[in-house]
Structures are given as C-alpha cells and as structure tokens.
C-alpha cells in the first residue's frame, strides 16, 4: 500500500510560479514511476509529467520548458515545479504512483491550482 498526499496548490497570477509536493508513505520501495495528472474543467484528464525509478522524466508538450518534476531517492517526496504559469494550467492536479511490478495505481486526493490574469 502507498499513500499519497498532495500540497502546494493555490491561486497564482499568470506568469507566476508554484511548487506542488506529493508526500508518499507506505510501501514506497515498490514504486516504479510517479507523476502528476491534471483535470481541467471541461477537459480530459491528462498526464502532465512522470518520473521513473531510473530518473527519466517525461512531460506533455504544453508544459515542456515550464514544469519540472523531481523526486528524492526514497520516493518519499515528488515535486512539480511550475513556472510561467498560464490560465490554461488551471486544474486539479493529482499525484499518482505506479508499482515497479504489476499492480494497482495509487492516487492522491488532488490539489487545486488556479491561475488568474
């Protein structure tokens, strides 16, 4: 079992920055990949960024160069640094963890990010 708790969401002005944190606990040694999804009003859920156990990262095109995902070696914390925020970044952001082996994904409760003009 893995428990995930997000924090750091809030209201920011366009062009500003925000750092989201995901605190992981439980069987973190079983994690193979973690990342962040987001769900914007009226839009499909999308995978924003991932980081694998080997450190490799992936981002959707719309956030490349603006967002950066990072983790510690024990998977106890996975952060998403968001810079040059745009109105379209407004969404609920969810942290997730995928097991190293076959198994269920784990999800946090989500944290709201609202970007204002």
């Amino acid at each position: 079992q893995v428990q995930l708790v997000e924090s750091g969401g809030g209201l920011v002005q366009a062009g500003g920055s925000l750092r989201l944190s995901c605190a992981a606990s439980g069987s973190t040694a079983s994690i193979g990949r973690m990342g962040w999804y987001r769900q914007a009003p009226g839009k499909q859920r999308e995978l924003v960024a991932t980081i694998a156990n080997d450190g490799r990262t992936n981002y959707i095109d719309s956030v490349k160069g603006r967002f950066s995902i990072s983790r510690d070696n024990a998977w106890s914390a996975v952060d998403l640094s968001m810079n040059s925020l745009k109105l379209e970044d407004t969404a609920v952001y969810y942290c997730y963890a995928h097991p190293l082996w076959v198994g269920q994904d784990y999800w946090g409760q989500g944290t709201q990010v609202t970007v204002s003009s």
Side-chain angles (χ1 to χ4, degrees):
Q1 287 291 119
V2 175
Q3 295 79 45
L4 304 173
V5 179
E6 303 101 329
S7 63
L11 176 64
V12 297
Q13 193 172 25
S17 300
L18 202 62
R19 188 179 185 90
L20 306 182
S21 294
C22 178
S25 60
S27 302
T28 58
S30 67
I31 296 174
R33 183 181 302 273
M34 293 187 68
W36 293 86
Y37 279 88
R38 69 184 180 187
Q39 182 81 60
K43 293 187 177 181
Q44 193 76 252
R45 183 194 67 178
E46 60 182 356
L47 183 59
V48 178
T50 63
I51 184 165
N53 58 355
D54 61 3
R56 287 183 290 181
T57 59
N58 284 285
Y59 303 90
I60 55 171
D61 288 342
S62 61
V63 307
K64 287 181 178 177
R66 300 190 298 118
F67 290 12
S68 179
I69 188 170
S70 61
R71 66 168 179 89
D72 62 22
N73 290 335
W75 292 107
S76 61
V78 175
D79 292 351
L80 184 69
S81 295
M82 305 184 294
N83 301 307
S84 301
L85 283 162
K86 304 175 180 180
L87 294 177
E88 52 264 41
D89 293 320
T90 296
V92 178
Y93 286 72
Y94 298 91
C95 178
Y96 87 97
H98 184 73
L100 183 63
W101 306 102
V102 175
Q104 70 180 84
D105 290 338
Y106 300 93
W107 296 84
Q109 293 294 314
T111 185
Q112 176 71 48
V113 172
T114 302
V115 183
S116 63
S117 60

